[in-house]
């Protein structure tokens, strides 16, 4: 969302050189370069989000299998938290 907001703000500005935060420092960077960097950051963030979503599905599946094993072994004597 922050990258999307930054891209929208960049569209609204009419300056050719904008301040861009690199680490803890703001640098004056040409607008075209900032647009490119923001797009690259969006793509990287989207890929990371997709990877994390897949990992989440895998972990939830493993948890479900482990719950089955534990309930089979201990029956109703345990109470596992629901998602």
């Amino acid at each position: 969302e922050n990258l999307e907001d930054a891209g929208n703000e960049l569209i609204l500005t009419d300056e050719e050189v904008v301040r861009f935060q690199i680490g803890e420092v703001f640098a004056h960077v040409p607008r075209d370069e900032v647009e490119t960097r923001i797009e690259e950051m969006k793509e990287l963030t989207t890929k990371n989000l997709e990877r994390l979503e897949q990992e989440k599905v895998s972990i939830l599946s493993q948890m479900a299998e482990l719950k089955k094993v534990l309930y089979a072994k201990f029956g109703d004597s345990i109470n596992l938290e629901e998602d």
Side-chain angles (χ1 to χ4, degrees):
E1 290 178 10
N2 290 343
L3 291 172
E4 197 67 40
D5 291 343
N8 292 339
E9 288 294 324
L10 191 59
I11 291 171
L12 296 175
T13 187
D14 58 348
E15 298 177 20
E16 289 301 316
V17 177
V18 295
R19 294 185 321 152
F20 186 74
Q21 186 175 2
I22 302 172
E24 295 181 14
V25 178
F26 284 94
H28 292 273
V29 181
R31 181 179 174 178
D32 296 337
E33 186 176 336
V34 172
E35 288 175 349
T36 303
R37 286 187 182 192
I38 288 175
E39 287 303 317
E40 290 171 355
M41 291 167 72
K42 282 183 192 177
E43 290 174 12
L44 181 62
T45 302
T46 301
K47 288 178 184 176
N48 285 338
L49 183 61
E50 290 173 359
R51 180 184 55 81
L52 290 172
E53 287 292 335
Q54 291 174 352
E55 188 176 327
K56 176 185 171 186
V57 169
S58 173
I59 290 171
L60 289 176
S61 173
Q62 290 174 358
M63 285 175 53
E65 290 298 318
L66 289 173
K67 284 181 181 181
K68 287 179 188 177
V69 170
L70 290 172
Y71 276 121
K73 185 172 185 175
F74 297 106
D76 291 334
S77 63
I78 62 169
N79 185 16
L80 301 176
E81 295 180 14
E82 293 296 320
D83 299 333

